[in-house]
Amino acid sequence: MKHSLVRTAAALVGSAILTLGAIAPAKAYTFDETEINQDRVIAIAQPGGLTGYQLLIVEQVTDRRKCWSESGSNPVVVNPLLATFDFTGICGRATDSNGFSIRMAGTDLALKYSLSLQVVDGNVLLMGTPIDPNDTQPIIIGRTNGDNNGFMKITLDPAWRFSKRAYQGKILGHFYFTSSQPAPGETGNTGGNTGGNTGGNTGGNTGGNTGGNTGGNTGGNTGGNTFGDIASDIYASEIKEAVALGFVAGFAQDNTFRPQLAVTREQLVSLVLESLKGIQGANITFSSNVSTRPYSDVDSTRWSAAKILFARDNKIVSGYKDGTFKPTQPVTRAELMAVLRRASEFGLSARGLQPNLIGKQPPKTFADTQNHWAAAIITQMSAYCGVASSLNEVGTRFAPDDSAKRNYAAAATLRMLKCVKAQ
């Protein structure tokens, strides 16, 4: 069996480059990223290569046939089923550095780190190694949790997820191993380093760069209230209400909401602004022709440029000190609260009221926010109609640095909207 799996590995790789060095386009810094469904992609340690293993990424593109199967634990054994049929249009795969790279804190690091699999103490680690040996330390991205000399699933460490490269709104085939944290030795612009001011500058994106399926009412399933993937979701009723109000949408192609997809900056801008249209006097309009970039990394022709410009000019969001906005960087739950506080203030002013948020319930004490940069904001928003609430509405953790998911972003925005209207 082991020998047949090795032969399968060779067939999968074919004539592809087998090293994992950084071979990237010269203009990698111009690329954005888009979030993808984590359940439809897998990183595999496949037998072969100088270190004994090579990295293979497989994506389930359509459901006509399964691209892989899993069994066991510690490690999880993978059977690469795509090797047994013509997987064109069914499965996607990447076998070398042309197909995958590292992205941290919104920065493509394809020219700075190479990816490799290293066997360490009976475990196979997926590592990012600096190309310059005098540069910063290696990064551990994931691990197999054991070694059986065969195909094994690489489980990503908690700070990491899969995403895809995008360019001017078009999703490319290149996979990113993505983390919201900055690379070692670099200062990230994640909101904590400038407190609530940059924490509040957060927009969002959930499934892609088209703008319609997360925050807007374009291209989505705005009229439908039935999604097959929210029946057991804690926020199901609020999601349905938000969809009915038209400020968030599902995915028309498969009638799903994808509640667990992360929200990033530009899509949250769209989500929040679309919700504020429901406030009398808000007068929210977007220019059909943006003449200049609102930020250095937001082209004037980008789908979200007009909304980002409006949000910036109305002090709902702002950019980073380096003049960027990082439109596709994921939003943390703390940053979501900072944006919603600013949106609340904007909404109250639009109604002719003082922009002072009046609590509707006692503030909640969270176990993990005391020393966080957004502690005061989170506490304030917990009293404001429960906009800030415990992770999955259970326990006392707010998880301020976890990524904000579509389900909670929709629910929290709905609560904000109701509170502004009621004040």
Side-chain angles (χ1 to χ4, degrees):
M1 178 62 177
K2 174 182 173 182
H3 295 296
S4 65
L5 289 176
V6 173
R7 286 195 297 272
T8 302
L12 286 172
V13 173
S15 59
I17 299 172
L18 300 184
T19 59
L20 303 181
I23 303 173
K27 294 187 178 180
Y29 63 90
T30 65
F31 291 119
D32 294 318
E33 66 179 319
T34 184
E35 300 297 322
I36 60 177
N37 189 331
Q38 304 297 294
D39 294 332
R40 296 181 71 85
V41 63
I42 185 174
I44 301 170
Q46 64 177 17
L50 297 177
T51 63
Y53 291 97
Q54 297 166 172
L55 177 59
L56 169 67
I57 297 178
V58 177
E59 181 182 21
Q60 188 79 48
V61 179
T62 69
D63 293 324
R64 262 193 295 161
R65 297 185 67 172
K66 289 183 64 176
C67 299
W68 76 89
S69 65
E70 302 175 19
S71 61
S73 61
N74 299 321
V76 174
V77 176
V78 177
N79 182 1
L81 301 174
L82 79 168
T84 64
F85 60 92
D86 180 2
F87 58 81
T88 305
I90 303 173
C91 313
R93 71 172 184 184
T95 60
D96 58 53
S97 59
N98 287 316
F100 42 70
S101 59
I102 295 173
R103 189 179 181 99
M104 299 188 73
T107 301
D108 189 328
L109 299 176
L111 299 178
K112 191 170 183 179
Y113 286 88
S114 62
L115 285 159
S116 63
L117 294 173
Q118 305 291 334
V119 180
V120 179
D121 296 331
N123 198 0
V124 181
L125 302 182
L126 173 60
M127 304 183 69
T129 305
I131 295 172
D132 182 349
N134 297 317
D135 206 346
T136 186
Q137 68 266 31
I139 304 167
I140 298 178
I141 298 170
R143 62 200 70 218
T144 58
N145 298 309
D147 187 1
N148 72 352
N149 298 316
F151 286 75
M152 296 176 289
K153 179 178 181 178
I154 299 168
T155 300
L156 303 189
D157 285 0
W160 294 88
R161 67 187 185 282
F162 296 102
S163 65
K164 272 192 170 181
R165 181 178 280 173
Y167 182 68
Q168 294 186 345
K170 181 180 180 181
I171 301 173
L172 308 179
H174 187 98
F175 293 93
Y176 283 129
F177 290 96
T178 301
S179 174
S180 301
Q181 300 175 353
E186 297 184 6
T187 301
N189 291 309
T190 56
N193 55 354
T194 53
N197 197 30
T198 41
N201 321 332
T202 318
N205 170 23
T206 61
N209 284 322
T210 58
N213 288 329
T214 311
N217 45 15
T218 60
N221 209 353
T222 55
N225 272 341
T226 303
F227 301 108
D229 56 352
I230 67 167
S232 60
D233 195 284
I234 188 68
Y235 300 108
S237 62
E238 289 173 298
I239 291 170
K240 292 177 183 178
E241 187 173 354
V243 170
L245 289 172
F247 67 80
V248 70
F251 293 80
Q253 61 266 41
D254 59 0
N255 197 36
T256 60
F257 187 78
R258 305 179 193 177
Q260 291 301 312
L261 284 180
V263 178
T264 56
R265 294 172 61 86
E266 65 184 342
Q267 289 277 356
L268 183 58
V269 168
S270 183
L271 173 74
V272 168
L273 293 184
E274 293 296 335
S275 74
L276 290 173
K277 286 182 178 180
I279 295 176
Q280 187 174 4
N283 191 29
I284 295 178
T285 58
F286 310 118
S287 172
S288 59
N289 184 21
V290 179
S291 58
T292 59
R293 293 171 177 250
Y295 293 97
S296 62
D297 59 345
V298 179
D299 193 89
S300 61
T301 60
R302 189 176 182 85
W303 72 266
S304 59
K307 292 185 176 183
I308 291 172
L309 178 63
F310 181 95
R312 183 200 70 182
D313 291 348
N314 287 277
K315 297 181 172 56
I316 297 172
V317 300
S318 58
Y320 294 107
K321 290 182 177 180
D322 62 359
T324 64
F325 185 74
K326 304 186 189 305
T328 61
Q329 180 170 293
V331 176
T332 67
R333 287 166 56 88
E335 292 168 337
L336 172 63
M337 290 303 107
V339 170
L340 292 180
R341 182 182 69 171
R342 290 188 176 189
S344 301
E345 293 169 346
F346 174 89
L348 292 171
S349 296
R351 294 189 59 214
L353 304 174
Q354 290 296 316
N356 300 319
L357 279 61
I358 299 175
K360 305 292 184 180
Q361 61 192 58
K364 187 174 179 64
T365 300
F366 297 101
D368 55 355
T369 61
Q370 183 176 0
N371 297 315
H372 197 274
W373 66 264
I377 296 172
I378 294 168
T379 298
Q380 181 184 26
M381 297 308 288
S382 73
Y384 199 61
C385 297
V387 174
S389 57
S390 300
L391 182 65
N392 297 321
E393 307 299 313
V394 176
T396 60
R397 289 184 62 242
F398 182 75
D401 295 323
D402 283 11
S403 61
K405 308 300 185 184
R406 274 174 61 84
N407 56 359
Y408 181 58
T413 302
L414 177 66
R415 296 172 191 178
M416 177 275 296
L417 180 62
K418 288 182 173 181
C419 224
V420 170
K421 288 182 175 181
Q423 187 164 320

